[in-house]
Amino acid sequence: MPTPIKSLSFAAIYELCEQLGQPKYRADQLIQWLFVKQASSYDEMTNLPKAFREALAKDYPLIPAKLIDKQISNDGTRKYCFELADGARVESVGIPVFKEGSDGDLRSLTVCFSTQVGCPMACAFCATGTEGLTRDLSSGEMVDQVAFIQDDFNARVSHVVSMGQGEPFLNYDATIEALDLLNSKKGFGIGARHITVSTCGIIPGIERLAEDPHQYTLAVSLHSAEQVIRDMLMPRCSAQTLPQLKQALQFYQEKTGRRVSFEYLMINGVNDTDAALESLIEFSRGIMCHVNLIPLNDVDHSAFKPSSKDMITHWKNVLTRVGIETTIRNSRGSDIDGACGQLKNKLLS
Ligand code: SF4
């Protein structure tokens, strides 16, 4: 049974090239063609020996991801749904920030990419969480999302964040392989400080990232610093308690000296109470952090509704007053099925 080449990890591609009797630099060239130059067939790879290309084409077909749907928001955000070689579907988002007063000149372009097909974490507020995990993405399938969006905007991607579908730390090796190519000068040249790994708080992953030499930015989807509420919102995180999470974050900071971002979806009447605010302040004590308050996207049929603007502003003011740097993040693309999993679920329903 042929194996699509893009489903292999970079490590597996190096091994395969070795098995086919090729030196390491050939594997480097092949990875360049596949993921940086985005070749659509082996015929394009003219600096690779013909016999090598034929051997690859026979057993490892090159099947590029297919764009299934694209939606463009009024604010310029573009949301994509891709079909992979095995028919699995993933979503990614391109988020442009325009220069003030310009006619569409970009100041930055952020890509939010997926790391898994579906997600096993079952967060209660998340459309992807309802479908469970289908499979992990390969490193190349992650990079392809970024490359496609770069082409589609015809502009250099300046920032990437693994905040699409899936939990990156449950697919750690492939995620780091992808980030390393995105960071590498021979790849996409995106600075490590502009690369964010977002996790719902998988402790072994945080500990591994603390030791990673690249020092990518860490964002933790906290959503509540009250154990009972967090367990309800993020049931599969419950084995890793908030005190354990805090300890892991302090370890990460000792090792890297880097600030952590806390993502906090503001949900009306659930995690926006006075007690919730006090708990967040207490949790943040002793951690160098930046809190992003994010109004929940209003999803059809969801029991959860966004907090009021006044409440979110109140939280920002209180957090800032006690010395916690806080930003209210505008929800981008909310008019185009912006919440994770929504677009794909709509296409499948
Ligand atoms: S919010 Fe993230 S971690 Fe939670 S279910 Fe959705 S994709 Fe998975």
Side-chain angles (χ1 to χ4, degrees), residues 118-123 125-130 164-167 200 223 234 340:
C119 181
M121 297 312 293
C123 298
F125 48 81
C126 170
T128 303
T130 58
Q165 294 167 294
E167 165 49 57
C200 60
H223 306 322
M234 307 170 78
C340 89

Side-chain angles (χ1 to χ4, degrees), residues 51-222:
F52 176 42
R53 283 187 270 147
E54 281 169 358
L56 289 170
K58 184 169 149 279
D59 292 325
Y60 299 91
L62 200 181
I63 307 170
K66 246 193 296 178
L67 180 68
I68 295 296
D69 195 45
K70 175 169 111 177
Q71 294 189 10
I72 304 181
S73 159
N74 294 331
D75 66 17
T77 299
R78 299 181 193 176
K79 181 147 188 167
Y80 307 82
C81 181
F82 298 105
E83 189 169 276
L84 307 174
D86 63 353
R89 290 180 176 191
V90 286
E91 291 177 3
S92 334
V93 183
I95 307 160
V97 175
F98 299 100
K99 287 184 187 155
E100 234 165 89
S102 81
D103 191 17
D105 290 345
L106 285 185
R107 197 174 73 205
S108 67
L109 175 59
T110 299
V111 171
C112 172
F113 67 94
S114 295
T115 53
Q116 295 182 307
V117 181
C119 181
M121 297 312 293
C123 298
F125 48 81
C126 170
T128 303
T130 58
E131 66 184 80
L133 177 70
T134 303
R135 69 169 173 87
D136 287 338
L137 289 180
S138 71
S139 28
E141 288 168 335
M142 292 181 218
V143 171
D144 278 354
Q145 297 170 56
V146 179
F148 184 95
I149 295 174
Q150 179 155 281
D151 276 2
D152 194 50
F153 274 87
N154 194 22
R156 197 180 156 269
V157 170
S158 57
H159 297 70
V160 289
V161 52
S162 63
M163 256 182 220
Q165 294 167 294
E167 165 49 57
F169 284 162
L170 295 181
N171 187 15
Y172 189 96
D173 291 335
T175 300
I176 296 297
E177 267 193 353
L179 297 184
D180 288 351
L181 185 64
L182 292 168
N183 175 236
S184 146
K185 291 220 162 35
K186 286 189 182 157
F188 290 74
I190 302 169
R193 282 168 192 278
H194 292 176
I195 293 178
T196 301
V197 188
S198 170
T199 177
C200 60
I202 304 292
I203 289 172
I206 294 172
E207 289 169 348
R208 280 184 76 181
L209 192 72
E211 310 280 0
D212 188 279
H214 291 91
Q215 299 209 352
Y216 302 126
T217 298
L218 175 65
V220 175
S221 300
L222 192 60

Side-chain angles (χ1 to χ4, degrees), residues 198-272:
S198 170
T199 177
C200 60
I202 304 292
I203 289 172
I206 294 172
E207 289 169 348
R208 280 184 76 181
L209 192 72
E211 310 280 0
D212 188 279
H214 291 91
Q215 299 209 352
Y216 302 126
T217 298
L218 175 65
V220 175
S221 300
L222 192 60
H223 306 322
S224 177
E226 294 178 290
Q227 195 69 60
V228 174
I229 303 292
R230 192 166 198 270
D231 291 352
M232 182 272 288
L233 291 174
M234 307 170 78
R236 301 268 163 84
C237 291
S238 61
Q240 313 188 50
T241 64
L242 284 162
Q244 288 168 326
L245 176 60
K246 183 165 180 170
Q247 211 178 4
L249 293 173
Q250 285 171 327
F251 171 76
Y252 171 84
Q253 280 193 334
E254 268 166 40
K255 286 276 174 187
T256 65
R258 305 209 60 190
R259 193 174 69 165
V260 175
S261 291
F262 291 142
E263 309 299 308
Y264 200 105
L265 275 176
M266 296 290 294
I267 310 175
N268 185 36
V270 175
N271 65 355
D272 65 352

